Amino acid sequence: MTTDAAPAQSATWPRRDEHGLTDAERDGCLADIDRDGFTILPHLLPQDMIDRANAYIDERCARFDREEEDPGYSETDIVEHDPVFREFLLYLPSLQLSYDVFGPMFHLGQDKWTRKFRDEEGMWIRWHSDGPIGFPEVDGHAPLHTLRFGYCVSDTTHDDSGTLEVIRGSHRKRTLHARDSIRWRPFTGHRQDDFETDHVTVQGPAGTIVAFHNGIWHCSRNNITDIPRTIVYFQYTPCMLRPVHRAVPNPGDLSPYTEEERWLLHEPREPGGWIIGTDKHHQR
């Protein structure tokens, strides 16, 4: 088993608009995703975004403790909940890589946060991939149809934190949800060593950002430390595909949002705007 770690936080923090990836960095990240199924972005998330996200999540977890008998420390559809999540939505490196793999016709597929407190007895999230449930396979493999960004807003450099684990290159293997016939009989040919070879634990300081292919096998074990593990997920997908939780088209009032935000949040548009797009859409 190996670990992949993000760069250390520098003393001089770059401005937010300086986090855009260079062409060479974009090429490197794309090569990682193609070869390994995941990449760790070369920049850490700005500290003020980490602090504001954690402040919001701290308050929500406290409310869950007060109001719920068995609280689940997670929320979906979070862009509207706090201004900091609008900044996650538009974080430039994530949009750059999404554009590189999907072209201009992509939108938000999922937005959520989750926090794990110490829990030695609970169920850990078993090995799975994010596709191709509801999406066709190609020769038993899952094509790239979502690009998921995990923003670690807590430190995961210590062991047993419940951080993300992946099988490097597993997006090129038979998917965990593969069928072996037209009748959807599940494929059962995986072996135990499939989950041991190229096993990578993604570790890094708060601010580490990992992007991964929907087809990669990944899991997250219990947090058995006293340090809460918190991650924010934003996932992007081609416009022809529906988001995981949100209604499409968006039934809410999107007038307070920018043009790019409205697009990503599934504003109503003509039918062709969900699939082919217009010249204007292609200028995004």
Side-chain angles (χ1 to χ4, degrees), residues 236-267:
Y236 301 91
T237 189
C239 292
M240 69 178 69
L241 299 181
R242 298 179 65 89
V244 177
H245 301 289
R246 291 176 173 272
V248 176
N250 194 313
D253 177 16
L254 295 179
S255 60
Y257 294 89
T258 66
E259 183 177 9
E260 179 65 12
E261 288 174 318
R262 293 196 301 272
W263 175 277
L264 294 171
L265 292 171
H266 327 108
E267 66 179 348

Side-chain angles (χ1 to χ4, degrees), residues 173-191:
K173 299 182 179 182
R174 286 295 296 257
T175 174
L176 291 180
H177 306 295
R179 61 181 181 181
D180 68 358
S181 78
I182 197 172
R183 303 186 189 282
W184 289 94
R185 188 168 58 238
F187 175 71
T188 58
H190 298 110
R191 303 165 302 183

Side-chain angles (χ1 to χ4, degrees), residues 93-214:
S94 302
L95 297 184
Q96 287 177 304
L97 293 178
S98 296
Y99 184 95
D100 289 339
V101 298
F102 299 127
M105 297 295 294
F106 69 89
H107 60 191
L108 182 64
Q110 187 183 48
D111 50 322
K112 65 177 292 188
W113 63 262
T114 183
R115 172 170 287 177
K116 286 185 176 183
F117 292 97
R118 186 182 186 98
D119 183 5
E120 299 185 23
E121 303 295 330
M123 292 291 292
W124 58 285
I125 300 175
R126 304 274 172 185
W127 288 109
H128 66 287
S129 62
D130 291 338
I133 295 177
F135 193 86
E137 303 161 24
V138 178
D139 296 329
H141 302 276
L144 176 61
H145 59 84
T146 70
L147 189 60
R148 190 173 180 87
F149 295 86
Y151 301 89
C152 300
V153 294
S154 61
D155 182 87
T156 59
T157 55
H158 52 290
D159 294 333
D160 301 320
S161 68
T163 188
L164 179 71
E165 302 176 35
V166 302
I167 302 298
R168 189 192 304 272
S170 54
H171 63 306
R172 295 181 176 273
K173 299 182 179 182
R174 286 295 296 257
T175 174
L176 291 180
H177 306 295
R179 61 181 181 181
D180 68 358
S181 78
I182 197 172
R183 303 186 189 282
W184 289 94
R185 188 168 58 238
F187 175 71
T188 58
H190 298 110
R191 303 165 302 183
Q192 183 56 39
D193 61 2
D194 285 330
F195 301 92
E196 297 168 354
T197 304
D198 292 320
H199 179 188
V200 177
T201 300
V202 179
Q203 294 181 298
T208 298
I209 306 169
V210 58
F212 56 98
H213 185 298
N214 53 271

